[in-house]
Amino acid sequence: MHANLEPLLSRLFVNGPSRKNRQEFRFGNKGSLSVHFAGDKIGQFYDFERGEGGGTLKLIQRELGLGRIEALEWAKDFLGVANDI
């Protein structure tokens, strides 16, 4: 998933990031959701408003309202089309 992180974020957050720096995208009105796209924490997110974080699969679950199995299936399907995005 890390190789396709930017297309994944484009799919999950259609309005794009509110800010970007060298290692992370920030989403939301206040930029409270941080997703690392470079460095040691690539693929990790943390939501400062909700006080929760995790990896790419958990972000998919959270944003799409899916369970773990459904998120795995969604990710598998997404990776099949990620190169076209």
CSV table of all heavy atoms in Angstrom, one decimal, residues 20-82:
chain,number,residue,atom,x,y,z
A,20,LYS,N,0.4,20.4,3.5
A,20,LYS,CA,1.4,19.3,3.2
A,20,LYS,C,2.8,19.8,3.6
A,20,LYS,O,3.1,21.0,3.4
A,20,LYS,CB,1.4,19.0,1.7
A,20,LYS,CG,2.4,18.0,1.3
A,20,LYS,CD,2.3,17.8,-0.2
A,20,LYS,CE,3.4,16.8,-0.7
A,20,LYS,NZ,3.4,16.6,-2.1
A,21,ASN,N,3.6,19.0,4.2
A,21,ASN,CA,5.0,19.3,4.4
A,21,ASN,C,5.8,18.2,3.8
A,21,ASN,O,5.3,17.4,3.1
A,21,ASN,CB,5.2,19.6,5.9
A,21,ASN,CG,5.1,18.4,6.8
A,21,ASN,OD1,5.3,17.3,6.4
A,21,ASN,ND2,4.6,18.7,8.0
A,22,ARG,N,7.1,18.1,4.2
A,22,ARG,CA,8.0,17.2,3.6
A,22,ARG,C,7.7,15.7,3.9
A,22,ARG,O,8.1,14.8,3.2
A,22,ARG,CB,9.4,17.5,4.0
A,22,ARG,CG,9.9,18.8,3.5
A,22,ARG,CD,11.4,19.0,3.8
A,22,ARG,NE,11.7,18.8,5.2
A,22,ARG,CZ,12.8,18.3,5.7
A,22,ARG,NH1,13.8,18.0,4.8
A,22,ARG,NH2,13.0,18.1,7.0
A,23,GLN,N,6.9,15.5,5.0
A,23,GLN,CA,6.7,14.1,5.4
A,23,GLN,C,5.2,13.7,5.6
A,23,GLN,O,4.9,12.5,5.8
A,23,GLN,CB,7.5,13.7,6.6
A,23,GLN,CG,9.0,13.7,6.4
A,23,GLN,CD,9.7,13.1,7.6
A,23,GLN,OE1,9.1,12.9,8.6
A,23,GLN,NE2,10.9,12.7,7.3
A,24,GLU,N,4.3,14.7,5.6
A,24,GLU,CA,3.0,14.3,5.9
A,24,GLU,C,2.0,15.2,5.2
A,24,GLU,O,2.3,16.4,4.8
A,24,GLU,CB,2.7,14.4,7.5
A,24,GLU,CG,2.8,15.8,8.0
A,24,GLU,CD,2.6,15.9,9.5
A,24,GLU,OE1,2.3,14.9,10.1
A,24,GLU,OE2,2.8,17.0,10.0
A,25,PHE,N,0.8,14.6,5.0
A,25,PHE,CA,-0.4,15.4,4.5
A,25,PHE,C,-1.2,15.7,5.8
A,25,PHE,O,-1.3,14.8,6.7
A,25,PHE,CB,-1.2,14.6,3.6
A,25,PHE,CG,-0.6,14.3,2.2
A,25,PHE,CD1,-0.1,13.1,1.8
A,25,PHE,CD2,-0.4,15.4,1.3
A,25,PHE,CE1,0.4,12.9,0.6
A,25,PHE,CE2,0.1,15.2,0.1
A,25,PHE,CZ,0.6,13.9,-0.3
A,26,ARG,N,-1.9,16.8,5.8
A,26,ARG,CA,-2.9,17.1,6.8
A,26,ARG,C,-4.2,17.3,6.2
A,26,ARG,O,-4.4,17.9,5.1
A,26,ARG,CB,-2.5,18.4,7.5
A,26,ARG,CG,-1.2,18.4,8.3
A,26,ARG,CD,-1.4,17.4,9.5
A,26,ARG,NE,-0.4,17.5,10.5
A,26,ARG,CZ,-0.5,17.9,11.7
A,26,ARG,NH1,-1.7,18.1,12.2
A,26,ARG,NH2,0.5,17.9,12.5
A,27,PHE,N,-5.2,16.7,6.8
A,27,PHE,CA,-6.6,16.7,6.3
A,27,PHE,C,-7.5,17.3,7.3
A,27,PHE,O,-7.2,17.3,8.5
A,27,PHE,CB,-7.1,15.3,5.9
A,27,PHE,CG,-6.3,14.7,4.8
A,27,PHE,CD1,-5.2,13.9,5.1
A,27,PHE,CD2,-6.6,14.9,3.5
A,27,PHE,CE1,-4.4,13.3,4.1
A,27,PHE,CE2,-5.8,14.3,2.5
A,27,PHE,CZ,-4.8,13.5,2.8
A,28,GLY,N,-8.6,17.8,6.9
A,28,GLY,CA,-9.6,18.4,7.8
A,28,GLY,C,-9.5,19.9,7.8
A,28,GLY,O,-8.5,20.5,7.4
A,29,ASN,N,-10.5,20.6,8.4
A,29,ASN,CA,-10.5,22.0,8.4
A,29,ASN,C,-9.3,22.6,9.2
A,29,ASN,O,-8.8,23.6,8.9
A,29,ASN,CB,-11.8,22.5,9.1
A,29,ASN,CG,-13.0,22.3,8.2
A,29,ASN,OD1,-12.9,22.2,7.0
A,29,ASN,ND2,-14.2,22.2,8.8
A,30,LYS,N,-9.0,21.9,10.3
A,30,LYS,CA,-7.9,22.4,11.1
A,30,LYS,C,-6.6,21.6,10.9
A,30,LYS,O,-5.6,21.8,11.6
A,30,LYS,CB,-8.3,22.3,12.6
A,30,LYS,CG,-9.5,23.1,13.0
A,30,LYS,CD,-9.9,22.9,14.4
A,30,LYS,CE,-11.1,23.7,14.7
A,30,LYS,NZ,-11.6,23.5,16.1
A,31,GLY,N,-6.6,20.7,9.9
A,31,GLY,CA,-5.5,19.9,9.7
A,31,GLY,C,-5.2,18.9,10.8
A,31,GLY,O,-4.0,18.5,11.0
A,32,SER,N,-6.2,18.4,11.5
A,32,SER,CA,-6.0,17.6,12.7
A,32,SER,C,-5.7,16.1,12.3
A,32,SER,O,-5.2,15.4,13.2
A,32,SER,CB,-7.2,17.6,13.6
A,32,SER,OG,-8.4,17.1,12.9
A,33,LEU,N,-5.9,15.7,11.1
A,33,LEU,CA,-5.6,14.4,10.7
A,33,LEU,C,-4.3,14.4,9.9
A,33,LEU,O,-4.2,15.0,8.8
A,33,LEU,CB,-6.7,13.8,9.8
A,33,LEU,CG,-6.4,12.4,9.2
A,33,LEU,CD1,-6.3,11.3,10.4
A,33,LEU,CD2,-7.5,12.0,8.3
A,34,SER,N,-3.3,13.7,10.4
A,34,SER,CA,-2.0,13.7,9.9
A,34,SER,C,-1.7,12.3,9.3
A,34,SER,O,-1.9,11.3,9.9
A,34,SER,CB,-0.9,14.0,10.9
A,34,SER,OG,0.4,13.7,10.5
A,35,VAL,N,-1.3,12.2,8.0
A,35,VAL,CA,-0.9,11.0,7.4
A,35,VAL,C,0.5,11.1,6.8
A,35,VAL,O,0.8,12.0,6.0
A,35,VAL,CB,-1.9,10.6,6.2
A,35,VAL,CG1,-1.5,9.3,5.6
A,35,VAL,CG2,-3.3,10.6,6.7
A,36,HIS,N,1.4,10.3,7.3
A,36,HIS,CA,2.8,10.3,6.8
A,36,HIS,C,2.9,9.6,5.5
A,36,HIS,O,2.5,8.5,5.3
A,36,HIS,CB,3.7,9.6,7.9
A,36,HIS,CG,3.9,10.5,9.1
A,36,HIS,ND1,4.9,11.3,9.3
A,36,HIS,CD2,3.1,10.5,10.2
A,36,HIS,CE1,4.8,11.9,10.4
A,36,HIS,NE2,3.7,11.5,11.0
A,37,PHE,N,3.6,10.3,4.5
A,37,PHE,CA,3.8,9.7,3.2
A,37,PHE,C,5.3,9.5,3.0
A,37,PHE,O,5.7,9.0,1.9
A,37,PHE,CB,3.2,10.6,2.1
A,37,PHE,CG,3.8,11.9,1.9
A,37,PHE,CD1,4.9,12.1,1.2
A,37,PHE,CD2,3.2,13.0,2.6
A,37,PHE,CE1,5.5,13.4,1.0
A,37,PHE,CE2,3.7,14.3,2.4
A,37,PHE,CZ,4.9,14.5,1.7
A,38,ALA,N,6.2,9.8,3.9
A,38,ALA,CA,7.6,9.7,3.8
A,38,ALA,C,8.2,9.4,5.2
A,38,ALA,O,7.6,9.7,6.2
A,38,ALA,CB,8.2,10.9,3.2
A,39,GLY,N,9.4,8.9,5.2
A,39,GLY,CA,10.1,8.7,6.4
A,39,GLY,C,9.8,7.4,7.1
A,39,GLY,O,9.1,6.5,6.5
A,40,ASP,N,10.2,7.3,8.4
A,40,ASP,CA,10.0,6.0,9.1
A,40,ASP,C,8.5,5.7,9.4
A,40,ASP,O,8.2,4.6,9.7
A,40,ASP,CB,10.7,6.1,10.5
A,40,ASP,CG,12.2,6.2,10.3
A,40,ASP,OD1,12.7,5.8,9.2
A,40,ASP,OD2,12.9,6.6,11.3
A,41,LYS,N,7.7,6.7,9.4
A,41,LYS,CA,6.3,6.5,9.8
A,41,LYS,C,5.4,6.4,8.5
A,41,LYS,O,4.1,6.6,8.6
A,41,LYS,CB,5.8,7.6,10.7
A,41,LYS,CG,6.5,7.6,12.0
A,41,LYS,CD,5.9,8.7,12.9
A,41,LYS,CE,6.6,8.8,14.2
A,41,LYS,NZ,6.0,9.8,15.1
A,42,ILE,N,5.9,6.2,7.4
A,42,ILE,CA,5.1,6.1,6.1
A,42,ILE,C,3.9,5.2,6.3
A,42,ILE,O,4.0,4.1,6.8
A,42,ILE,CB,5.9,5.7,4.9
A,42,ILE,CG1,5.1,5.9,3.6
A,42,ILE,CG2,6.4,4.3,5.0
A,42,ILE,CD1,6.0,5.8,2.4
A,43,GLY,N,2.7,5.7,5.9
A,43,GLY,CA,1.5,5.0,6.0
A,43,GLY,C,0.8,5.1,7.4
A,43,GLY,O,-0.3,4.6,7.5
A,44,GLN,N,1.4,5.7,8.3
A,44,GLN,CA,0.8,5.9,9.6
A,44,GLN,C,0.0,7.2,9.7
A,44,GLN,O,0.3,8.2,9.1
A,44,GLN,CB,1.9,6.0,10.7
A,44,GLN,CG,2.7,4.7,10.9
A,44,GLN,CD,1.8,3.6,11.4
A,44,GLN,OE1,1.2,3.7,12.4
A,44,GLN,NE2,1.8,2.4,10.7
A,45,PHE,N,-1.1,7.1,10.4
A,45,PHE,CA,-2.0,8.3,10.6
A,45,PHE,C,-2.2,8.6,12.1
A,45,PHE,O,-2.1,7.7,12.9
A,45,PHE,CB,-3.3,8.2,9.8
A,45,PHE,CG,-4.3,7.4,10.5
A,45,PHE,CD1,-5.3,8.0,11.4
A,45,PHE,CD2,-4.4,6.0,10.4
A,45,PHE,CE1,-6.2,7.3,12.1
A,45,PHE,CE2,-5.4,5.3,11.0
A,45,PHE,CZ,-6.3,5.9,11.9
A,46,TYR,N,-2.5,9.8,12.4
A,46,TYR,CA,-3.0,10.2,13.7
A,46,TYR,C,-4.0,11.3,13.6
A,46,TYR,O,-3.7,12.3,12.9
A,46,TYR,CB,-1.8,10.6,14.6
A,46,TYR,CG,-2.3,10.7,16.1
A,46,TYR,CD1,-2.5,9.5,16.8
A,46,TYR,CD2,-2.6,11.9,16.6
A,46,TYR,CE1,-3.0,9.6,18.1
A,46,TYR,CE2,-3.1,12.0,17.9
A,46,TYR,CZ,-3.3,10.8,18.7
A,46,TYR,OH,-3.7,10.9,19.9
A,47,ASP,N,-5.1,11.2,14.2
A,47,ASP,CA,-6.1,12.2,14.3
A,47,ASP,C,-6.1,12.8,15.7
A,47,ASP,O,-6.4,12.2,16.7
A,47,ASP,CB,-7.5,11.6,14.0
A,47,ASP,CG,-8.6,12.6,13.9
A,47,ASP,OD1,-8.5,13.7,14.6
A,47,ASP,OD2,-9.6,12.4,13.2
A,48,PHE,N,-5.6,14.1,15.7
A,48,PHE,CA,-5.5,14.8,17.0
A,48,PHE,C,-6.8,15.2,17.6
A,48,PHE,O,-6.9,15.3,18.8
A,48,PHE,CB,-4.6,16.0,16.8
A,48,PHE,CG,-3.2,15.7,16.4
A,48,PHE,CD1,-2.8,15.5,15.1
A,48,PHE,CD2,-2.3,15.5,17.4
A,48,PHE,CE1,-1.5,15.2,14.8
A,48,PHE,CE2,-0.9,15.2,17.1
A,48,PHE,CZ,-0.5,15.0,15.8
A,49,GLU,N,-7.9,15.3,16.8
A,49,GLU,CA,-9.2,15.6,17.4
A,49,GLU,C,-9.8,14.4,18.1
A,49,GLU,O,-10.4,14.5,19.2
A,49,GLU,CB,-10.1,16.1,16.4
A,49,GLU,CG,-9.9,17.6,15.9
A,49,GLU,CD,-10.9,18.1,15.0
A,49,GLU,OE1,-12.1,17.7,15.1
A,49,GLU,OE2,-10.6,18.9,14.1
A,50,ARG,N,-9.6,13.3,17.5
A,50,ARG,CA,-10.2,12.0,18.0
A,50,ARG,C,-9.3,11.3,18.9
A,50,ARG,O,-9.7,10.3,19.6
A,50,ARG,CB,-10.6,11.1,16.9
A,50,ARG,CG,-11.8,11.6,16.0
A,50,ARG,CD,-12.2,10.6,15.0
A,50,ARG,NE,-13.2,11.1,14.1
A,50,ARG,CZ,-13.7,10.3,13.1
A,50,ARG,NH1,-13.3,9.1,13.0
A,50,ARG,NH2,-14.6,10.8,12.3
A,51,GLY,N,-8.0,11.6,18.9
A,51,GLY,CA,-7.0,10.9,19.7
A,51,GLY,C,-6.8,9.4,19.3
A,51,GLY,O,-6.6,8.6,20.1
A,52,GLU,N,-6.8,9.2,18.0
A,52,GLU,CA,-6.7,7.8,17.5
A,52,GLU,C,-5.7,7.8,16.3
A,52,GLU,O,-5.6,8.8,15.6
A,52,GLU,CB,-8.0,7.2,17.1
A,52,GLU,CG,-8.7,7.8,15.9
A,52,GLU,CD,-10.0,7.2,15.6
A,52,GLU,OE1,-10.6,6.4,16.4
A,52,GLU,OE2,-10.6,7.5,14.5
A,53,GLY,N,-5.1,6.7,16.1
A,53,GLY,CA,-4.2,6.6,15.0
A,53,GLY,C,-4.0,5.1,14.6
A,53,GLY,O,-4.6,4.2,15.2
A,54,GLY,N,-3.2,4.9,13.6
A,54,GLY,CA,-2.9,3.5,13.2
A,54,GLY,C,-2.3,3.5,11.8
A,54,GLY,O,-1.7,4.5,11.3
A,55,GLY,N,-2.4,2.4,11.1
A,55,GLY,CA,-1.8,2.2,9.8
A,55,GLY,C,-2.8,2.4,8.7
A,55,GLY,O,-4.0,2.8,8.9
A,56,THR,N,-2.4,2.1,7.5
A,56,THR,CA,-3.2,2.3,6.3
A,56,THR,C,-4.5,1.6,6.3
A,56,THR,O,-5.6,2.1,6.0
A,56,THR,CB,-2.4,1.9,5.1
A,56,THR,OG1,-1.1,2.6,5.1
A,56,THR,CG2,-3.1,2.3,3.8
A,57,LEU,N,-4.5,0.3,6.7
A,57,LEU,CA,-5.7,-0.5,6.8
A,57,LEU,C,-6.8,0.1,7.7
A,57,LEU,O,-7.9,0.2,7.4
A,57,LEU,CB,-5.5,-1.9,7.1
A,57,LEU,CG,-6.7,-2.9,7.0
A,57,LEU,CD1,-7.2,-2.9,5.6
A,57,LEU,CD2,-6.3,-4.3,7.5
A,58,LYS,N,-6.3,0.5,8.9
A,58,LYS,CA,-7.2,1.2,9.9
A,58,LYS,C,-7.8,2.5,9.3
A,58,LYS,O,-8.9,2.8,9.6
A,58,LYS,CB,-6.5,1.4,11.2
A,58,LYS,CG,-7.4,1.9,12.3
A,58,LYS,CD,-6.7,1.9,13.6
A,58,LYS,CE,-7.7,2.4,14.7
A,58,LYS,NZ,-7.1,2.4,16.0
A,59,LEU,N,-7.0,3.2,8.6
A,59,LEU,CA,-7.5,4.5,8.0
A,59,LEU,C,-8.6,4.2,7.0
A,59,LEU,O,-9.6,4.9,6.9
A,59,LEU,CB,-6.3,5.2,7.3
A,59,LEU,CG,-6.7,6.6,6.7
A,59,LEU,CD1,-7.1,7.5,7.8
A,59,LEU,CD2,-5.4,7.1,6.0
A,60,ILE,N,-8.4,3.1,6.2
A,60,ILE,CA,-9.4,2.7,5.2
A,60,ILE,C,-10.7,2.3,6.0
A,60,ILE,O,-11.8,2.7,5.6
A,60,ILE,CB,-8.9,1.5,4.4
A,60,ILE,CG1,-7.8,2.0,3.4
A,60,ILE,CG2,-10.1,0.9,3.5
A,60,ILE,CD1,-7.1,0.9,2.7
A,61,GLN,N,-10.5,1.5,7.0
A,61,GLN,CA,-11.7,1.1,7.8
A,61,GLN,C,-12.4,2.3,8.4
A,61,GLN,O,-13.7,2.4,8.3
A,61,GLN,CB,-11.3,0.3,9.0
A,61,GLN,CG,-10.8,-1.1,8.7
A,61,GLN,CD,-10.4,-1.8,10.0
A,61,GLN,OE1,-9.2,-1.9,10.2
A,61,GLN,NE2,-11.3,-2.4,10.7
A,62,ARG,N,-11.7,3.2,8.9
A,62,ARG,CA,-12.3,4.4,9.5
A,62,ARG,C,-13.0,5.3,8.5
A,62,ARG,O,-14.1,5.8,8.7
A,62,ARG,CB,-11.1,5.2,10.2
A,62,ARG,CG,-11.5,6.5,10.8
A,62,ARG,CD,-10.2,7.3,11.1
A,62,ARG,NE,-10.3,8.6,10.6
A,62,ARG,CZ,-10.2,9.7,11.4
A,62,ARG,NH1,-10.0,9.5,12.7
A,62,ARG,NH2,-10.2,10.9,10.9
A,63,GLU,N,-12.3,5.6,7.4
A,63,GLU,CA,-12.9,6.6,6.5
A,63,GLU,C,-14.1,6.0,5.7
A,63,GLU,O,-14.9,6.7,5.3
A,63,GLU,CB,-11.8,7.1,5.5
A,63,GLU,CG,-10.8,7.9,6.2
A,63,GLU,CD,-11.4,9.1,6.9
A,63,GLU,OE1,-12.2,9.9,6.3
A,63,GLU,OE2,-11.0,9.4,8.1
A,64,LEU,N,-14.1,4.7,5.5
A,64,LEU,CA,-15.1,4.1,4.7
A,64,LEU,C,-16.2,3.4,5.5
A,64,LEU,O,-17.1,2.8,5.0
A,64,LEU,CB,-14.5,3.1,3.6
A,64,LEU,CG,-13.6,3.7,2.6
A,64,LEU,CD1,-13.0,2.7,1.7
A,64,LEU,CD2,-14.3,4.9,1.8
A,65,GLY,N,-15.9,3.3,6.8
A,65,GLY,CA,-16.9,2.7,7.7
A,65,GLY,C,-17.0,1.2,7.5
A,65,GLY,O,-18.0,0.6,7.6
A,66,LEU,N,-15.8,0.5,7.3
A,66,LEU,CA,-15.8,-0.9,7.0
A,66,LEU,C,-15.2,-1.7,8.2
A,66,LEU,O,-14.4,-1.1,8.9
A,66,LEU,CB,-14.9,-1.1,5.8
A,66,LEU,CG,-15.3,-0.5,4.5
A,66,LEU,CD1,-14.3,-0.7,3.4
A,66,LEU,CD2,-16.7,-1.0,4.0
A,67,GLY,N,-15.5,-2.9,8.2
A,67,GLY,CA,-14.8,-3.8,9.2
A,67,GLY,C,-13.5,-4.3,8.6
A,67,GLY,O,-13.2,-3.9,7.4
A,68,ARG,N,-12.7,-5.0,9.3
A,68,ARG,CA,-11.4,-5.4,8.9
A,68,ARG,C,-11.4,-6.2,7.6
A,68,ARG,O,-10.6,-6.0,6.7
A,68,ARG,CB,-10.7,-6.2,10.0
A,68,ARG,CG,-9.2,-6.6,9.6
A,68,ARG,CD,-8.5,-7.0,10.9
A,68,ARG,NE,-7.2,-7.5,10.5
A,68,ARG,CZ,-6.1,-6.8,10.3
A,68,ARG,NH1,-6.2,-5.5,10.3
A,68,ARG,NH2,-4.9,-7.3,10.0
A,69,ILE,N,-12.3,-7.2,7.5
A,69,ILE,CA,-12.3,-8.1,6.3
A,69,ILE,C,-12.8,-7.3,5.1
A,69,ILE,O,-12.2,-7.4,4.1
A,69,ILE,CB,-13.3,-9.3,6.6
A,69,ILE,CG1,-12.9,-10.1,7.8
A,69,ILE,CG2,-13.5,-10.1,5.3
A,69,ILE,CD1,-11.5,-10.8,7.6
A,70,GLU,N,-13.8,-6.4,5.3
A,70,GLU,CA,-14.2,-5.6,4.2
A,70,GLU,C,-13.1,-4.6,3.7
A,70,GLU,O,-13.0,-4.4,2.5
A,70,GLU,CB,-15.5,-4.8,4.6
A,70,GLU,CG,-16.7,-5.7,4.8
A,70,GLU,CD,-16.8,-6.2,6.2
A,70,GLU,OE1,-16.0,-5.9,7.1
A,70,GLU,OE2,-17.8,-7.0,6.5
A,71,ALA,N,-12.4,-4.1,4.7
A,71,ALA,CA,-11.3,-3.1,4.3
A,71,ALA,C,-10.2,-3.9,3.6
A,71,ALA,O,-9.6,-3.3,2.6
A,71,ALA,CB,-10.8,-2.5,5.6
A,72,LEU,N,-9.9,-5.1,4.0
A,72,LEU,CA,-8.9,-5.9,3.2
A,72,LEU,C,-9.4,-6.1,1.8
A,72,LEU,O,-8.5,-6.0,0.9
A,72,LEU,CB,-8.6,-7.2,4.0
A,72,LEU,CG,-7.8,-7.1,5.2
A,72,LEU,CD1,-7.9,-8.4,6.0
A,72,LEU,CD2,-6.3,-6.8,4.8
A,73,GLU,N,-10.6,-6.5,1.6
A,73,GLU,CA,-11.2,-6.7,0.3
A,73,GLU,C,-11.1,-5.4,-0.5
A,73,GLU,O,-10.8,-5.4,-1.7
A,73,GLU,CB,-12.6,-7.2,0.3
A,73,GLU,CG,-12.7,-8.7,0.8
A,73,GLU,CD,-11.9,-9.6,-0.2
A,73,GLU,OE1,-12.1,-9.5,-1.4
A,73,GLU,OE2,-11.2,-10.5,0.3
A,74,TRP,N,-11.5,-4.3,0.1
A,74,TRP,CA,-11.5,-3.0,-0.6
A,74,TRP,C,-10.1,-2.6,-1.0
A,74,TRP,O,-9.8,-2.2,-2.1
A,74,TRP,CB,-12.0,-1.9,0.3
A,74,TRP,CG,-12.2,-0.6,-0.4
A,74,TRP,CD1,-13.4,-0.1,-1.0
A,74,TRP,CD2,-11.2,0.4,-0.5
A,74,TRP,NE1,-13.1,1.1,-1.5
A,74,TRP,CE2,-11.8,1.5,-1.3
A,74,TRP,CE3,-9.9,0.6,-0.1
A,74,TRP,CZ2,-11.2,2.6,-1.6
A,74,TRP,CZ3,-9.2,1.7,-0.5
A,74,TRP,CH2,-9.8,2.7,-1.2
A,75,ALA,N,-9.1,-2.9,-0.1
A,75,ALA,CA,-7.7,-2.6,-0.4
A,75,ALA,C,-7.2,-3.4,-1.6
A,75,ALA,O,-6.5,-2.9,-2.5
A,75,ALA,CB,-6.8,-2.8,0.8
A,76,LYS,N,-7.6,-4.7,-1.6
A,76,LYS,CA,-7.2,-5.6,-2.6
A,76,LYS,C,-7.7,-5.1,-4.0
A,76,LYS,O,-7.0,-5.1,-5.0
A,76,LYS,CB,-7.7,-7.0,-2.3
A,76,LYS,CG,-7.3,-8.1,-3.3
A,76,LYS,CD,-7.8,-9.4,-2.8
A,76,LYS,CE,-8.2,-10.3,-3.9
A,76,LYS,NZ,-8.8,-11.6,-3.5
A,77,ASP,N,-9.0,-4.7,-4.0
A,77,ASP,CA,-9.6,-4.2,-5.2
A,77,ASP,C,-8.9,-2.9,-5.6
A,77,ASP,O,-8.6,-2.7,-6.8
A,77,ASP,CB,-11.1,-4.0,-5.0
A,77,ASP,CG,-11.9,-5.3,-4.9
A,77,ASP,OD1,-11.3,-6.3,-5.3
A,77,ASP,OD2,-13.0,-5.2,-4.4
A,78,PHE,N,-8.6,-2.0,-4.6
A,78,PHE,CA,-8.0,-0.8,-4.9
A,78,PHE,C,-6.6,-1.0,-5.6
A,78,PHE,O,-6.3,-0.3,-6.5
A,78,PHE,CB,-7.9,0.1,-3.7
A,78,PHE,CG,-7.1,1.3,-3.9
A,78,PHE,CD1,-7.6,2.4,-4.5
A,78,PHE,CD2,-5.7,1.4,-3.5
A,78,PHE,CE1,-6.9,3.6,-4.7
A,78,PHE,CE2,-5.0,2.5,-3.7
A,78,PHE,CZ,-5.5,3.6,-4.3
A,79,LEU,N,-5.8,-1.9,-5.0
A,79,LEU,CA,-4.5,-2.1,-5.6
A,79,LEU,C,-4.5,-2.6,-7.0
A,79,LEU,O,-3.6,-2.3,-7.8
A,79,LEU,CB,-3.7,-3.1,-4.7
A,79,LEU,CG,-3.3,-2.5,-3.3
A,79,LEU,CD1,-2.7,-3.6,-2.5
A,79,LEU,CD2,-2.3,-1.4,-3.5
A,80,GLY,N,-5.6,-3.2,-7.4
A,80,GLY,CA,-5.8,-3.6,-8.8
A,80,GLY,C,-6.0,-2.5,-9.7
A,80,GLY,O,-5.7,-2.6,-10.9
A,81,VAL,N,-6.5,-1.3,-9.2
A,81,VAL,CA,-6.7,-0.2,-10.1
A,81,VAL,C,-5.8,1.0,-9.7
A,81,VAL,O,-5.9,2.0,-10.4
A,81,VAL,CB,-8.2,0.3,-10.0
A,81,VAL,CG1,-9.1,-0.8,-10.5
A,81,VAL,CG2,-8.6,0.8,-8.7
A,82,ALA,N,-5.0,0.9,-8.7
A,82,ALA,CA,-4.2,2.0,-8.2
A,82,ALA,C,-3.3,2.6,-9.3
A,82,ALA,O,-3.1,3.8,-9.4
A,82,ALA,CB,-3.4,1.7,-7.0
